[in-house]
Amino acid sequence: MSSYRVAQVATPNGPFEIVEREVPHPGPRHVRIAVEACGICHSDDFFVSGGLPGVQFPVVAGHEVAGRIEELGEGAQDSNWNVGDRVTVGWFGGSCGHCTPCRQGDFIVCESLKVPGWTYDGGFAESIVAPVDALARIPDALTAADAGPLACAGVTTYHGLRRSPAQPGDLVAVLGIGGLGHLAVQYATAMGYETVAIARGPDRAELAKQLGAHHYIDSTGSTSVADALQALGGAKVVIATAGASDAIAATVDGLSHRGELVVIGIDPDPVLISPAQLIMRGKTVRGHPSGTAQDVQDTLAFSALHGIRPVVEVMPLSQTGEAYQRMLASRARFRMVLTPT
């Protein structure tokens, strides 16, 4: 049997090592994908560090996978997949199909959600085996390096915005201009929202403008973020991509009546919001957990149609450790992407 390479971590927070393994055959309703690109998400650290229950070492992380199907397991063709199809696999790596959320059609909150790098080997590799319900088709207009990050960072921001109460013309604010936020600003503008980018420091103003934002708020300035948003009329929606609980809480008083705070940035510290801040003007706080494979496919199609692309730095699989450390140190602009060569 032929072999393929993976970048694995043998112990929690251990170094990445390149290891050869035998190429597996996909089981029923699974496919094997030749990986062409895989983004590095900050959530990968949950697995590399052993920070979530059930993580088993050695770990092969990576849930922003793009590539081509190279082998079909039994029954996979019944789902209209063929060898050679270009596909992605994101945070949604499959569902159980029988828990209450799945029976209600809410697969992204499946009680036994499958996540690449957690429940099976992820995309820091030359090959990955994934279930067919995790697959999304890649439009011809997108490269693999484009499509990989859109399967997680892209769908989380796009789907988070389209599920919000905002209508075209409403004021929508994006907190943070990083791996998630730089995509959220592009999506918000393409959806017809009056878009506000919020970040630290005046130096991000030009970047916000280049991404399409109509306004920029420096969160370190003399005017509070909430006051600055209210001066613009109040935000119908704030999508919080920055993993900073204090910064997230600082946006609540900038919401309009019936405004919604959509939280997608993760911080272990609590978000300190008083009931009065929510009740008096009917505001809502919602956590948003990515999206299903169909949501990913919708994200890819919208991105291709509107010319939305992630800003990426590409490095070879052999330099996974270096690329991963750039992500952890917040030095990526704005998504690190691994390729097999």
Side-chain angles (χ1 to χ4, degrees):
M1 182 177 288
S2 58
S3 64
Y4 72 107
R5 297 181 305 152
V6 304
Q8 70 176 29
V9 172
T11 58
N13 290 320
F16 283 91
E17 53 185 1
I18 304 298
V19 175
E20 290 199 2
R21 297 182 179 181
E22 290 188 344
V23 174
H25 292 292
R29 294 189 60 77
H30 282 65
V31 302
R32 188 176 73 245
I33 301 166
V35 177
E36 296 177 348
C38 184
I40 302 178
C41 176
H42 204 282
S43 297
D44 286 314
D45 196 46
F46 293 143
F47 316 133
V48 171
S49 66
L52 288 176
V55 174
Q56 297 184 354
F57 289 86
V59 160
V60 180
H63 57 266
E64 295 186 342
V65 185
R68 295 180 185 270
I69 296 176
E70 59 181 359
E71 185 179 357
L72 301 171
E74 181 183 356
Q77 65 273 12
D78 296 338
S79 299
N80 294 319
W81 296 109
N82 297 290
V83 170
D85 286 349
R86 302 179 69 225
V87 295
T88 64
V89 180
W91 177 265
F92 179 83
S95 57
C96 72
H98 55 74
C99 68
T100 298
C102 283
R103 286 169 60 85
Q104 294 173 339
D106 201 358
F107 302 106
I108 191 59
V109 288
C110 170
E111 294 173 3
S112 301
L113 183 68
K114 302 171 186 176
V115 180
W118 188 3
T119 47
Y120 56 87
D121 286 345
F124 292 3
E126 293 176 329
S127 184
I128 178 176
V129 172
V132 293
D133 62 324
L135 306 180
R137 296 186 187 275
I138 302 175
D140 291 341
L142 299 179
T143 68
D146 292 332
L150 296 180
C152 178
V155 68
T156 303
T157 51
Y158 171 75
H159 192 44
L161 284 166
R162 74 171 178 173
R163 288 195 61 204
S164 78
Q167 298 295 314
D170 284 343
L171 191 74
V172 170
V174 177
L175 176 63
I177 311 179
L180 292 163
H182 88 286
L183 287 168
V185 171
Q186 295 180 74
Y187 288 131
T189 304
M191 290 176 176
Y193 305 139
E194 183 179 353
T195 304
V196 185
I198 307 169
R200 293 177 57 84
D203 56 314
R204 290 284 176 121
E206 182 58 31
L207 170 63
K209 180 179 178 181
Q210 291 172 3
L211 292 170
H214 303 98
H215 311 279
Y216 178 73
I217 296 175
D218 174 7
S219 62
T220 65
S222 57
T223 302
S224 72
V225 169
D227 286 346
L229 287 173
Q230 289 298 341
L232 293 169
K236 186 66 175 179
V237 169
V238 172
I239 182 163
T241 72
S245 293
D246 288 346
I248 293 171
T251 67
V252 173
D253 287 338
L255 289 169
S256 67
H257 64 284
R258 301 291 181 185
E260 181 176 84
L261 170 62
V262 182
V263 181
I264 60 177
I266 297 176
D267 187 342
D269 295 329
V271 178
L272 301 179
I273 301 170
S274 74
Q277 287 177 281
L278 303 177
I279 293 171
M280 299 303 292
R281 303 199 72 201
K283 299 173 183 178
T284 303
V285 179
R286 172 170 63 90
H288 177 68
S290 190
T292 65
Q294 183 59 56
D295 297 324
V296 172
Q297 194 157 313
D298 292 346
T299 302
L300 296 172
F302 187 88
S303 301
L305 181 64
H306 290 275
I308 295 171
R309 303 291 187 271
V311 178
V312 302
E313 292 185 51
V314 178
M315 296 182 71
L317 185 68
S318 59
Q319 293 180 257
T320 299
E322 181 181 342
Y324 188 80
Q325 290 304 316
R326 283 186 64 80
M327 179 278 296
L328 280 184
S330 299
R331 290 188 288 112
R333 185 179 171 90
F334 288 100
R335 213 64 168 175
M336 300 305 302
V337 173
L338 300 172
T339 59
T341 56

